[in-house]
Amino acid sequence: MTKNTADIENLRIAAVDIGGTCIKSGLWEGGSLTDIRERDTDARLGASHVMDTVMEILAGYRDFQAVGISTAGQVNTEKGMIRYANDNIPGYTGTKVRELIENNFHVPAAVLNDVNSAALGEACYGAGKGYDDFLCLTYGTGVGGAIVIGGQVYVGCGFSAGEFGGIVTHPEDRDPARDMFSGCYERYASTTALVRLVQARFPELGNGREIFARLEQPEVRELVNQWIREITYGLVSLAHIFNPPLIILGGGVMGQSYVIREVRRMLGEQLIPSFRDVAVQPAALGNQAGMLGAAETAYREYRKRNI
């Protein structure tokens, strides 16, 4: 049955962002999120528990016509299932997320990897608004990435494009038999890498917040600058490969204005002059980006099925 435009524009979409630590949810209507909630994932209890929690969360919302899911792991977006996930959520690989939701709630559901979902959220509502093409990277435990081309997330032939953390930046340390990410970007540019680097000298500094509180200390600042140089090594390659108009940097540590300012400066020094027009911006949506991207994906799925 075809829905008219008014029906489409008045859609209410339940959006859920499944992370390894917590599950965030909200109700999307007209481009905004309301009734935002948060639950512990308890990921160690496995995929079945996580999906049961998602079902409970969705049951707590009323009168929605579609569901958007942002989730950790590699996602087959055509089937709405988890193609691969590590042991952070035991048994998650192969989970048919869309099928489970549609069978329970009888509304269209769309499922997208969390970084891709955040990038789509930024494209529609945040730092990427007004850009058809850009790259998005997130820095946390590892380094995640997404490629937006023509307003769409490019997922590649295996639904896993944008694994920027796997760029080899230190081939002298490369030993994939020991560690598949040895010598790779995320081992040096992630927030985890920053904390490890600083703690080798200042063991009392256990997280990014504590490190940046000591930024005026010259020895700490030099270590932070060393880490920022590692960030730019990956960005130099990406800028020269994609020649994007915009690179968005996300993750809590990118809320530090010093980091963004120094990335811009160091990157400009290392790019071929004709590539220096690339803008570097911090992500704008914080922890709502994944939910907004999931809602946008569900909105598009609903339109595809009903128009």
Side-chain angles (χ1 to χ4, degrees):
M1 181 175 68
T2 301
K3 303 289 185 182
N4 63 39
T5 304
D7 290 338
I8 296 291
E9 296 305 321
N10 290 324
L11 271 181
R12 289 161 58 88
I13 297 172
V16 181
D17 187 0
I18 305 170
T21 303
C22 66
I23 300 174
K24 297 181 287 291
S25 63
L27 197 61
W28 178 96
E29 187 172 14
S32 299
L33 287 170
T34 60
D35 200 2
I36 296 172
R37 309 174 189 178
E38 188 171 310
R39 288 266 300 269
D40 289 341
T41 307
D42 291 327
R44 69 190 184 283
L45 299 179
S48 294
H49 172 81
V50 170
M51 290 311 301
D52 286 345
T53 302
V54 170
M55 298 303 168
E56 289 177 14
I57 291 168
L58 289 172
Y61 290 100
R62 300 181 62 185
D63 301 325
F64 55 84
Q65 290 83 49
V67 174
I69 301 291
S70 164
T71 180
Q74 296 176 6
V75 176
N76 180 325
T77 52
E78 293 177 0
K79 296 181 179 180
M81 67 179 289
I82 306 302
R83 185 171 186 265
Y84 172 79
N86 60 30
D87 290 336
N88 288 343
I89 305 179
Y92 204 34
T93 298
T95 300
K96 298 177 179 179
V97 177
R98 185 175 72 190
E99 181 179 306
L100 288 168
I101 291 170
E102 292 188 348
N103 286 346
N104 273 272
F105 295 97
H106 310 291
V107 298
V111 187
L112 199 63
N113 161 266
D114 51 5
V115 180
N116 288 340
S117 191
L120 187 57
E122 293 288 345
C124 296
Y125 307 101
K129 194 172 182 180
Y131 289 85
D132 290 331
D133 311 316
F134 64 86
L135 303 179
C136 182
L137 293 91
T138 59
Y139 298 82
T141 304
V143 176
I147 305 162
V148 175
I149 301 175
Q152 304 285 341
V153 176
Y154 174 73
V155 296
C157 66
F159 307 97
S160 305
E163 190 66 74
F164 299 145
I167 298 171
V168 177
T169 55
H170 287 267
E172 71 279 6
D173 295 336
R174 184 78 175 138
D175 183 5
R178 172 181 57 84
D179 172 12
M180 187 54 69
F181 279 85
S182 60
C184 289
Y185 188 45
E186 76 169 38
R187 291 290 183 260
Y188 306 89
S190 63
T191 306
T192 301
L194 169 64
V195 173
R196 183 173 61 247
L197 177 68
V198 173
Q199 280 196 315
R201 184 93 171 268
F202 301 95
E204 71 275 15
L205 300 180
N207 57 52
R209 188 177 296 105
E210 293 174 355
I211 290 168
F212 282 95
R214 297 260 294 271
L215 191 61
E216 296 307 313
Q217 186 173 338
E219 296 88 347
V220 173
R221 181 179 292 248
E222 177 50 39
L223 292 171
V224 170
N225 287 343
Q226 181 180 332
W227 168 71
I228 293 173
R229 281 192 288 273
E230 294 290 349
I231 291 174
T232 62
Y233 293 155
L235 297 183
V236 166
S237 295
L238 293 173
H240 284 145
I241 292 167
F242 288 97
N243 191 22
L246 172 68
I247 298 176
I248 296 173
L249 305 182
V253 72
M254 291 302 162
Q256 297 287 337
S257 60
Y258 179 82
V259 177
I260 297 294
R261 184 172 67 250
E262 287 299 294
V263 166
R264 288 171 177 157
R265 182 183 66 80
M266 293 184 192
L267 184 60
E269 293 173 349
Q270 298 181 61
L271 289 176
I272 296 170
S274 57
F275 286 77
R276 292 176 185 168
D277 289 338
V278 61
V280 176
Q281 297 290 349
L285 301 176
N287 61 14
Q288 290 192 16
M291 288 186 287
L292 285 166
E296 179 65 24
T297 306
Y299 174 78
R300 296 178 182 185
E301 180 67 21
Y302 186 94
R303 287 178 59 92
K304 183 171 68 175
R305 297 193 196 186
N306 290 278
I307 293 183

